[in-house]
Amino acid sequence: MNILVIGSGGREHALAWKLAQSPKAQKVYVAPGNGGTARDARLVNVPITDVKALADFAEANKIILTVVGPEAPLAAGVVDEFRARGLRIFGPTQKAAQLESSKAFAKDFMKRHGIPTAFYETFTDAAAAHAYVDAKGAPIVIKADGLAAGKGVVVAMTLQEAHEAIDFMLVDNTLGVQHNAGGARVVIEEFLAGEEASFIVLADGKNVTVLATSQDHKRLLDGDAGPNTGGMGAYSPAPVVTPNVHAKAMQEIILPTLAGMAKDGIPFTGFLYAGLMIDAHGNPKTLEFNCRMGDPETQPIMMRLKSDLIDVFMHATDGTLDQVELQWDRRFALGVVVAAGGYPLNPEKGQAITGLPAEADDAVVFHAGTTLDEAGMLRTSGGRVLCVTALGDSAKLAQHRAYEYLRGIQFDGMQFRSDIGWRAIKAR
């Protein structure tokens, strides 16, 4: 069967790579794809991003299943458009995607349905936001309300940082983020201490299937220093998600969220990603929801998944996820993001990439911000360029294999952390 994956990042490369392994896959198209998907003989790039044009393509090319990777097409209503034409697509509707596309919607939803999260207030007026921060003190968290490609959150450890973040997001609106009604808005939250983990499930409106646990590294520099990014690396499983934490996340967060969405008349289908903060007593709270798989968490998760992903998505779009039991590689998977010089604020583009290793049984380089030029040369085209992902019998061995596999890759200004997986190694 013909499959379409919408998106151009590392997450979409990993999903398409996994889908192409199914014996049921005839052609796997990626729209618009990247330099890595262009170089993979099993995948076909399609230079389309417009929602209606994507649905036209799916009709014309007899696409049996479409999977949406990133948040922007979900917020633009791609699922609604496909469903209106009777096309099978995995993802949430535009209304359901507000769990991610509006921080204020998500926080109000959690408050209404008693889902554990940080205390918060929402502001469009900068003076009121500054006054609130002065009253509450630091550390405090400032979030742009809307899609900001993982860059719309500032964990301010000082009042000065908090005030600068408010001006950056609300007064200057440097990120250009708008909430659903238009204009800039910020959500200001209490700072939660603990350890973060990514808890991702597939939902079909009624049933839920849990993916392998994972944890990513948000900060740019070793030792979790430097600015927040979209993620500098990830690993699976996450030792911090103990059986007790797993049970609490399901009972207190995931299941009440799906029940709450159904009660509100917005049944949720698609990936539901709960960013958890787990305190010292093993109690999880919800930092945020995403309506997609995480990036870079998808890359190690797909490396570990043994089940046929096409079968999984067919069940998910049929409403029969209760019949699915996922099979996992018992090994540990770890991915190291290689980013462009100047990332996260001003990534350099157009640098030639050399020294990419061939795909191995236990290691794959997933592409994100890459493109092929007219001469067939691979060049950087975004902030996060590659995710070098490997399997190993332990966190330490997976880490060693990933960094060994990365060794020959070169482009001007490349930067990556040298300590991805340190929490998991420490936990073991």
Side-chain angles (χ1 to χ4, degrees):
M1 58 176 78
N2 291 342
I3 312 287
L4 174 63
V5 176
I6 296 174
S8 63
R11 165 185 45 231
E12 291 77 42
H13 187 185
L15 286 168
W17 170 85
K18 186 65 192 170
L19 286 161
Q21 291 172 13
S22 168
K24 297 182 177 72
Q26 191 174 347
K27 270 191 178 171
V28 179
Y29 296 96
V30 192
N34 58 41
T37 54
R39 288 173 55 158
D40 190 327
R42 300 162 292 189
L43 309 176
V44 182
N45 278 8
V46 184
I48 304 173
T49 53
D50 176 75
V51 164
K52 284 188 164 49
L54 286 164
D56 291 341
F57 176 85
E59 285 180 335
N61 291 274
K62 298 185 171 55
I63 300 294
I64 301 297
L65 167 71
T66 299
V67 180
V68 190
E71 59 277 25
L74 295 171
V78 69
V79 170
D80 309 69
E81 177 69 28
F82 271 61
R83 284 192 186 161
R85 301 197 198 187
L87 295 164
R88 184 189 290 262
I89 186 167
F90 184 67
T93 60
Q94 190 172 30
K95 267 190 168 174
Q98 287 181 99
L99 272 180
E100 175 170 11
S101 66
S102 171
K103 298 277 191 292
F105 174 92
K107 295 297 285 192
D108 292 347
F109 171 86
M110 285 188 266
K111 190 176 184 178
R112 199 163 60 245
H113 292 285
I115 293 157
T117 189
F119 295 119
Y120 72 101
E121 291 289 341
T122 302
F123 299 92
T124 52
D125 178 69
H130 285 303
Y132 181 79
V133 160
D134 281 331
K136 290 291 182 188
I140 197 161
V141 180
I142 320 291
K143 295 180 174 180
D145 183 21
L147 298 179
K151 301 182 198 74
V153 177
V154 172
V155 180
M157 301 312 287
T158 64
L159 282 174
Q160 184 185 341
E161 283 180 294
H163 290 306
E164 284 172 0
I166 290 166
D167 289 340
F168 179 73
M169 293 179 194
L170 208 49
V171 180
D172 309 329
N173 195 11
T174 308
L175 293 169
V177 173
Q178 294 209 335
H179 62 84
N180 293 349
R185 182 162 67 184
V186 294
V187 174
I188 303 181
E189 293 184 359
E190 70 169 320
F191 171 81
L192 296 177
E195 194 171 335
E196 273 190 65
S198 307
F199 200 92
I200 309 172
V201 304
L202 296 97
D204 65 12
K206 305 185 296 289
N207 309 296
V208 63
T209 294
V210 187
L211 292 176
T213 60
S214 57
Q215 191 168 32
D216 77 337
H217 296 255
K218 287 276 191 290
R219 301 277 185 169
L220 181 69
L221 305 173
D222 284 10
D224 295 326
N228 257 351
T229 71
M232 292 302 292
Y235 52 86
S236 172
V240 69
V241 184
T242 61
N244 181 45
V245 170
H246 195 287
K248 283 184 175 176
M250 286 301 290
Q251 295 306 319
E252 297 173 14
I253 296 170
I254 299 295
L255 295 176
T257 296
L258 296 173
M261 291 294 278
K263 189 178 174 188
D264 291 353
I266 319 170
F268 192 93
T269 56
F271 291 112
L272 180 65
Y273 168 130
L276 305 180
M277 182 63 82
I278 301 154
D279 71 14
H281 307 290
N283 298 308
K285 283 190 177 179
T286 317
L287 289 173
E288 63 174 356
F289 285 119
N290 292 329
C291 296
R292 53 186 165 88
M293 281 195 80
D295 188 347
E297 295 97 329
T298 305
Q299 293 88 315
I301 290 172
M302 286 300 118
M303 286 283 283
R304 290 188 62 218
L305 182 65
K306 293 171 86 170
S307 305
D308 186 314
L309 192 53
I310 289 180
D311 285 346
V312 176
F313 285 136
M314 295 303 276
H315 277 293
T317 48
D318 279 338
T320 54
L321 271 177
D322 53 330
Q323 297 172 29
V324 171
E325 194 169 328
L326 298 177
Q327 303 298 314
W328 298 100
D329 192 313
R330 58 172 185 75
R331 288 176 293 177
F332 204 93
L334 183 143
V336 180
V337 168
V338 183
Y343 179 75
L345 285 179
N346 298 297
E348 299 162 9
K349 298 179 183 177
Q351 310 293 350
I353 305 167
T354 58
L356 281 174
E359 188 174 310
D361 288 342
D362 65 344
V364 180
V365 178
F366 294 110
H367 292 236
T370 69
T371 187
L372 285 180
D373 67 17
E374 288 167 5
M377 184 72 186
L378 195 68
R379 294 188 179 274
T380 63
S381 64
R384 292 184 297 166
V385 178
L386 305 166
C387 184
V388 180
T389 314
L391 292 162
D393 286 329
S394 66
K396 185 79 185 159
L397 287 168
Q399 183 195 57
H400 180 264
R401 178 69 174 121
Y403 282 105
E404 174 192 61
Y405 196 60
L406 188 157
R407 198 172 293 143
I409 300 172
Q410 297 250 304
F411 60 85
D412 287 348
M414 69 184 262
Q415 52 175 336
F416 57 89
R417 285 180 55 162
S418 65
D419 65 347
I420 299 301
W422 70 267
R423 285 182 189 275
I425 291 163
K426 190 176 146 195
R428 294 290 160 112

